[in-house]
Amino acid sequence: MKKQGLISAVGFDRGRDYATLIEAARTINADIHLYTRPELVAGIDLPSNIIFHGLVPFEEYVKVLHESSILAIPTVELAYPTGQTVALEAAATGAALLLTESAAMRDYFDDHVAYYHPQGDPEAWSLRINQLLEDPQEAAQKGRRASEHVHANFPYLSMWRSIEQSLHNRGWLPAAS
């Protein structure tokens, strides 16, 4: 069940931009729960409202996604996509998505279902988070639209059927009998 105003940031690949989110947190009057590898925030002075959890077991990760009303995924643009898996999983639970503007994220989400911010812009992140804290109904509505979008366009079974078909097309799996 969603906890109103619960903000989390999740992910541990090298494409995360937690420095921007942490800087934004300095002007936010709410806690942000951060789930990542310690080395991704090493050397950054964490303000008291960043609650660092480190890496957690998968079951705890799922619980975080289900309880968070706002899920922040700050990233940098890389040669390969970053953050999409967490974004899809969080959106499926109805969390409002705060994302860094990137071509890869735009492949999955539009402005109707996610909030986008320029890379490396803590002020934009801070303004959006404060706005959503003042208007939790907006966050809930965006989260509902994100959930509907993911469930309608990215069903799990459909994904695996597509993968199976690709393997058949490449000759890596024999044709079904």
Side-chain angles (χ1 to χ4, degrees), residues 22-76:
I22 291 166
E23 189 59 33
R26 298 182 196 288
T27 60
I28 295 169
N29 191 21
D31 291 339
I32 298 176
H33 294 263
L34 179 57
Y35 299 84
T36 192
R37 293 181 295 145
E39 55 268 27
L40 291 183
V41 295
I44 301 174
D45 178 37
L46 300 179
S48 62
N49 64 331
I50 293 287
I51 312 301
F52 182 74
H53 297 272
L55 295 177
V56 296
F58 182 75
E59 295 77 20
E60 179 69 15
Y61 163 76
V62 171
K63 182 180 176 192
V64 167
L65 296 183
H66 281 278
E67 291 181 349
S68 299
S69 61
I70 300 170
L71 209 297
I73 307 172
T75 57
V76 295

Side-chain angles (χ1 to χ4, degrees), residues 71-92:
L71 209 297
I73 307 172
T75 57
V76 295
E77 189 80 41
L78 295 175
Y80 60 87
T82 180
Q84 290 78 7
T85 301
V86 170
L88 286 165
E89 292 170 346

Side-chain angles (χ1 to χ4, degrees), residues 109-127:
F109 304 102
D110 63 22
D111 292 322
H112 186 68
V113 299
Y115 298 101
Y116 281 97
H117 308 86
Q119 181 179 321
D121 187 346
E123 199 171 303
W125 284 86
S126 175
L127 287 171

Side-chain angles (χ1 to χ4, degrees), residues 150-168:
V150 167
H151 288 283
N153 296 294
F154 302 102
Y156 188 75
L157 187 56
S158 173
M159 175 190 72
W160 284 110
R161 285 183 181 143
S162 174
I163 291 170
E164 181 182 33
Q165 185 60 51
S166 292
L167 294 174
H168 284 295

